């Protein structure tokens, strides 16, 4: 930014511990470092413009009023696009799961009467289903504003409409589903702090609706987010709380999903025995499932199970098995997941000394990102794979792949 700053560790310590205020140009550098737009900087309001949403989002009580307040806060502040870091970490992250597990059934009608009709609810449910379908085909980056708009609509209805307890529970369940979907779109776009905000709102709304299945699902997805941010141990804690905090109210399908995620978390920590135990529990539960499942898990199946089995095999050093499982997973996946898993398959094949196969997998993912799918996660995994190709820099296929990766449209990694 061509600015000369005399900033040291001591200077930063004075900001944090003694309340000193950095000058305006330093605040602009901080905003740029945190991925905030310049207009977010309010020098006279330091430090209130910094990304500390969790002070509001986490301290509200786990009640109906707290949930509605958190949703309203989010609708007002959701335009803040903070990239590259998590603002809810460590004990704050795992405390969220404990609050969810301990919270009482919170729903009570905001007002008497039934002004929200069944037709309106069905229309909203169709919008949520459409959002999920589009995400599977296109990736989250292109759908973030659409999802935000849907959440604003549902939040307005929750705050202002008249409805019965039953209708209200459905509205809060829809708010949870759309909050999750918005958080997922933000995460898929590289907006990690924003994604966390929506996930916490989704967890609150699911609890208010009395829907433990949906709440456990959101905790599992929060764990993925945490792990990508470097908090894999917290991911395991989130999953343990989801599994055991309200275990009696969880179906075999939910436990299948949670144990699958726990296997991935254990493998990430190098606990391969624990990963194998969790994976075996997941597969056993999967084998005895019926076809009935909630709308937010309609997409879950063999493809996702094979993907996790492939990732755990790769972390255990079993490259050939990992490649076979990941290839099977991609073959049955929707376009967005094909793009994301292409980088994983490329890594597995490279670990098995199959450079041509690795390049083929990576090019398959790039092909999807060149026109059909927008996903920062997919781009990130392909770039991670590209970083391992330096020993093969003179190979024509490597140079060609790196050129394609650099030429990806901005929308692919938005």
């Amino acid at each position: 930014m061509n600015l000369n700053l005399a900033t040291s560790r001591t200077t930063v310590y004075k900001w944090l511990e003694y309340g000193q205020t950095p000058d305006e140009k330093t605040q602009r550098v901080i905003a740029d470092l945190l991925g905030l737009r310049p207009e977010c900087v309010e020098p006279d309001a330091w430090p209130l413009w910094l990304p500390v949403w969790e002070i509001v989002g986490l301290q509200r009580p786990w009640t109906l009023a707290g949930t509605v307040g958190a949703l309203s806060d989010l609708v007002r502040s959701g335009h803040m696009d903070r990239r590259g870091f998590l603002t809810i970490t460590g004990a704050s992250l795992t405390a969220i799961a404990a609050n969810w597990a301990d919270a009482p059934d919170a729903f009570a009608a905001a007002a008497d009467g039934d002004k929200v009709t069944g037709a309106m609810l069905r229309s909203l449910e169709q919008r949520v289903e459409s959002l999920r379908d589009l995400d599977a085909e296109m990736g989250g980056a292109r759908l973030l504003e659409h999802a935000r708009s849907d959440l604003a609509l549902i939040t307005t209805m929750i705050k202002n409409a008249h409805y019965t307890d039953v209708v209200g529970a459905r509205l809060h369940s829809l708010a949870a589903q759309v909050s999750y979907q918005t958080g997922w779109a933000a995460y898929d776009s590289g907006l990690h702090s924003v994604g966390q905000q929506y996930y916490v709102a989704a967890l609150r709304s699911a609890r208010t609706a009395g829907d433990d299945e949906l709440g456990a699902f959101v905790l599992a997805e929060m764990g993925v987010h945490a792990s990508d941010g470097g908090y894999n141990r917290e991911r395991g804690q989130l999953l343990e709380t989801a599994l055991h905090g309200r275990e009696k109210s969880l179906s075999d399908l939910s436990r299948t999903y949670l144990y699958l995620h726990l296997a991935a978390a254990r493998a990430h920590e190098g606990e391969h025995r624990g990963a194998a135990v969790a994976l075996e529990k997941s597969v056993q539960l999967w084998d005895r499932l019926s076809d009935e499942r909630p709308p937010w898990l309609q997409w879950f199946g063999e493809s996702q199970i094979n993907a996790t089995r492939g990732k755990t095999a790769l972390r255990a050093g079993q490259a050939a098995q990992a490649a076979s499982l990941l290839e099977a997973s991609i073959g049955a996946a929707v376009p967005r997941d094909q793009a994301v898993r292409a980088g994983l398959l490329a890594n597995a094949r490279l670990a098995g000394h199959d450079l041509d196969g690795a390049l083929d997998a990576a090019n398959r993912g790039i092909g999807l990102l060149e026109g059909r799918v927008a996903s920062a996660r997919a781009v990130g995994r392909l770039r991670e794979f590209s970083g391992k190709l330096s020993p093969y820099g003179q190979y024509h296929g490597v140079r060609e792949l790196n050129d394609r990766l650099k030429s990806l449209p901005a929308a692919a990694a938005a």
Side-chain angles (χ1 to χ4, degrees), residues 134-154:
L134 288 170
D135 172 71
E137 291 293 324
M138 300 166 56
R142 293 192 177 102
L143 299 172
L144 186 53
E145 292 307 319
H146 183 159
R148 283 171 168 162
S149 296
D150 282 358
L151 181 61
L153 172 62
I154 294 170

Side-chain angles (χ1 to χ4, degrees), residues 61-357:
W62 284 68
T63 61
L64 173 63
T67 296
V68 174
L71 285 171
S72 299
D73 293 338
L74 194 51
V75 167
R76 284 195 299 268
S77 66
H79 66 282
M80 300 289 284
D81 290 346
R82 301 163 183 142
R83 291 183 179 269
F85 64 97
L86 301 179
T87 55
I88 308 172
T89 59
S92 294
L93 183 62
T94 53
I96 293 169
N99 287 337
W100 168 81
D102 293 340
D105 291 333
F107 188 77
D112 292 330
D114 188 13
K115 299 296 179 66
V116 178
T117 67
M120 293 166 66
L121 282 171
R122 287 191 294 274
S123 177
L124 288 172
E125 288 165 350
Q126 288 170 1
R127 287 176 69 118
V128 176
E129 184 178 355
S130 174
L131 195 62
R132 277 192 289 264
D133 291 343
L134 288 170
D135 172 71
E137 291 293 324
M138 300 166 56
R142 293 192 177 102
L143 299 172
L144 186 53
E145 292 307 319
H146 183 159
R148 283 171 168 162
S149 296
D150 282 358
L151 181 61
L153 172 62
I154 294 170
T155 300
T156 299
M157 292 179 69
I158 287 173
K159 289 174 63 178
N160 300 326
H162 298 284
Y163 41 78
T164 65
D165 285 3
V166 172
V167 170
R170 287 176 67 183
L171 282 171
H172 278 282
S173 178
L174 283 169
Q177 293 176 56
V178 176
S179 293
Y180 160 72
Q181 201 67 45
T182 312
W184 173 259
Y187 167 55
D188 207 17
S189 304
L191 306 176
H192 298 292
S193 178
V194 172
Q196 280 191 308
Q197 297 174 28
Y198 286 105
Y199 280 4
V200 174
L203 194 64
R204 285 180 171 276
S205 297
R207 192 69 213 99
T208 299
D211 195 333
D212 291 340
E213 302 270 19
L214 180 52
F217 167 77
V218 173
L219 279 177
E221 295 298 306
M222 288 179 73
V224 175
H225 201 172
S227 183
D228 280 0
Y231 297 90
N232 194 66
R233 187 165 298 279
E234 284 84 352
R235 180 188 187 184
Q237 292 170 339
L238 291 176
L239 289 162
E240 291 286 358
T241 301
L243 277 163
H244 305 303
R246 291 184 174 272
E247 187 172 15
K248 293 181 180 178
S249 59
L250 297 181
S251 67
D252 284 347
L253 177 63
S254 289
R255 294 195 296 136
T256 298
Y257 192 75
L258 293 169
Y259 275 118
L260 192 68
H261 279 261
L262 186 60
R266 295 287 184 257
H268 201 134
E269 287 287 294
E271 299 175 11
H272 300 302
R273 182 175 178 82
V277 170
L279 191 57
E280 179 64 20
K281 287 181 179 179
S282 179
V283 172
Q284 287 177 350
L285 287 164
W286 173 257
D287 287 341
R288 70 187 195 205
L289 288 180
S290 66
D291 291 334
E292 187 176 348
R293 59 183 62 198
W296 59 87
L297 270 179
Q298 290 290 334
W299 53 270
F300 178 60
E302 294 282 354
S303 177
Q304 287 72 35
I305 292 173
N306 282 331
T308 299
R309 291 174 67 195
K311 284 185 282 189
T312 57
L314 184 59
R315 291 193 178 278
Q318 301 165 351
Q321 182 182 5
S324 177
L325 288 164
L326 288 166
E327 187 168 3
S329 171
I330 289 174
V334 296
R336 190 269 322 284
D337 289 346
Q338 290 179 34
V340 170
R341 293 172 197 164
L344 290 171
L345 178 57
N347 279 318
R349 286 178 173 171
L350 187 65
H353 309 292
D354 179 7
L355 178 60
D356 288 335

